[in-house]
Amino acid sequence: MLSSVSALKAGRRAFAAGVARGMASNSTAAKSSTRHISPSTYSALEARLNITFSDPKLMEQVCTHRSFEQGRLASNDRMQWVGKRVLNLYVGEFLAAKFPNLTVEMLQDMQHANFGLASLAEVAKHFGMLPAMRWESVVKEAPHVGQTKVLGKSVQALVGAIYQDQGAAAAKKFVAQHLLTRTVDVEAVVQMKNPKLLLAALTRQKGMQTPIARLMKETGRFTSSPVFVIGIFSGVKMIGTGYGSSLKMGEQRAAKDALIKYYAKEVKDFKLASLTGDEEQVTFFDQPSL
């Protein structure tokens, strides 16, 4: 009887081990199948982005995160480190020139909101980089965890690769064509909890006349749904308008409108120092005397 029980237990253990081996082999096969990416995928990506690297393996490295194969293969780590700093320079310079009235804190928030890893991940998808990516999630049960961060860093790595392989001019051109043309939302980063206080401080700082609120239009004052249109003036110039169901609400919205108009002011025609000029064309010799 005991021998029969022992044999039964041994059989169950053997069956469980066999199932485990089968699951492991299936998992390995599935994992290895997802890792195989055709070289044509990378050449197609280069063609789509109009990039020709000197090394045909470079785009593959751009799309290889250090988590892949436990870091045994060449990854995009160093390219990403360089590319992040290249992007910070060109994007920061662009935003500072385009929106001269934004504070440093607002510029930082705008750069993070519009050119941070989450936004760059969407750029990577637009580029078609997702099918070319080689990476492994730290959460095996959730293979998509970390994908946004990995994709965002891949765009930084791409900029870094262009910078290192083709030089600063090529990297500037790529950033200008593919990233600086995107629409940025200024209002989203101009957080104003106390717009009237901020407007009063701003007008004092700029030497402007103290803001005055004026009722421009109203309807339904003695009904359950009144609407008041308020204008904020500095001297004779109306600098903001707003409406609300009360005079206070309209005044607050008008103050916020005035602040947004000031901070969101765009310079349409400007030149970036890093995108203009040619070192070879600059000389300190007196040309006629040469």
Side-chain angles (χ1 to χ4, degrees):
M1 181 68 178
L2 290 176
S3 61
S4 299
V5 172
S6 300
L8 182 60
K9 288 183 178 180
R12 286 176 179 173
R13 286 196 296 268
F15 175 77
V19 170
R21 285 194 299 270
M23 291 176 65
S25 62
N26 289 339
S27 175
T28 303
K31 188 179 292 186
S32 61
S33 66
T34 58
R35 288 177 176 177
H36 177 70
I37 299 175
S38 171
S40 62
T41 300
Y42 300 109
S43 57
L45 184 57
E46 284 192 35
R48 191 180 306 118
L49 297 176
N50 195 26
I51 301 171
T52 304
F53 286 124
S54 60
D55 182 354
K57 287 284 188 179
L58 203 52
M59 183 61 86
E60 180 178 334
Q61 186 175 347
V62 165
C63 297
T64 302
H65 188 257
R66 64 180 177 180
S67 61
F68 182 69
E69 291 286 4
Q70 299 179 344
R72 288 191 292 267
L73 300 179
S75 74
N76 61 14
D77 248 14
R78 295 178 69 85
M79 300 173 187
Q80 184 268 332
W81 188 88
V82 172
K84 178 180 179 180
R85 283 144 185 82
V86 172
L87 269 175
N88 283 343
L89 169 62
Y90 297 149
V91 171
E93 178 188 45
F94 169 79
L95 293 177
K98 188 175 180 67
F99 302 103
N101 291 341
L102 287 180
T103 65
V104 171
E105 292 77 16
M106 291 175 182
L107 286 170
Q108 185 68 31
D109 289 343
M110 177 174 285
Q111 181 159 353
H112 178 74
N114 294 278
F115 301 94
L117 291 181
S119 294
L120 292 179
E122 294 303 313
V123 173
K125 293 176 183 177
H126 177 71
F127 286 169
M129 298 182 73
L130 183 56
M133 291 303 301
R134 301 196 301 177
W135 69 288
E136 294 175 3
S137 174
V138 294
V139 183
K140 300 304 181 184
E141 297 77 14
H144 295 295
V145 171
Q147 178 175 283
T148 296
K149 189 174 182 179
V150 168
L151 282 174
K153 288 188 173 184
S154 71
V155 175
Q156 293 175 335
L158 178 60
V159 173
I162 295 172
Y163 184 89
Q164 291 179 312
D165 185 65
Q166 301 178 10
K172 295 171 192 175
K173 183 179 179 181
F174 182 85
V175 171
Q177 287 181 343
H178 295 284
L179 294 173
L180 300 186
T181 53
R182 305 177 71 222
T183 302
V184 294
D185 184 6
V186 179
E187 187 173 349
V189 300
V190 181
Q191 302 295 330
M192 293 169 290
K193 295 182 179 179
N194 302 294
K196 291 187 289 184
L197 289 175
L198 288 174
L199 183 60
L202 178 63
T203 51
R204 284 196 302 269
Q205 179 185 352
K206 297 299 178 183
M208 299 168 62
Q209 295 186 37
T210 303
I212 297 176
R214 294 174 184 163
L215 177 62
M216 308 299 295
K217 194 182 297 184
E218 68 171 282
T219 181
R221 180 185 284 260
F222 301 107
T223 68
S224 59
S225 55
V227 176
F228 301 93
V229 179
I230 307 298
I232 293 281
F233 290 79
S234 177
V236 297
K237 183 179 180 182
M238 185 167 69
I239 58 176
T241 59
Y243 69 92
S245 58
S246 67
L247 292 173
K248 183 178 180 180
M249 181 185 292
E251 180 188 27
Q252 190 172 35
R253 287 179 173 175
K256 183 176 182 178
D257 180 60
L259 288 168
I260 290 175
K261 285 180 178 176
Y262 172 77
Y263 286 119
K265 177 184 176 183
E266 292 187 30
V267 176
K268 301 295 183 181
D269 185 20
F270 60 89
K271 293 182 179 180
L272 301 178
S274 68
L275 296 174
T276 57
D278 185 348
E279 178 69 16
E280 297 302 320
Q281 296 177 359
V282 177
T283 180
F284 299 109
F285 285 109
D286 184 4
Q287 296 291 337
S289 66
L290 294 179

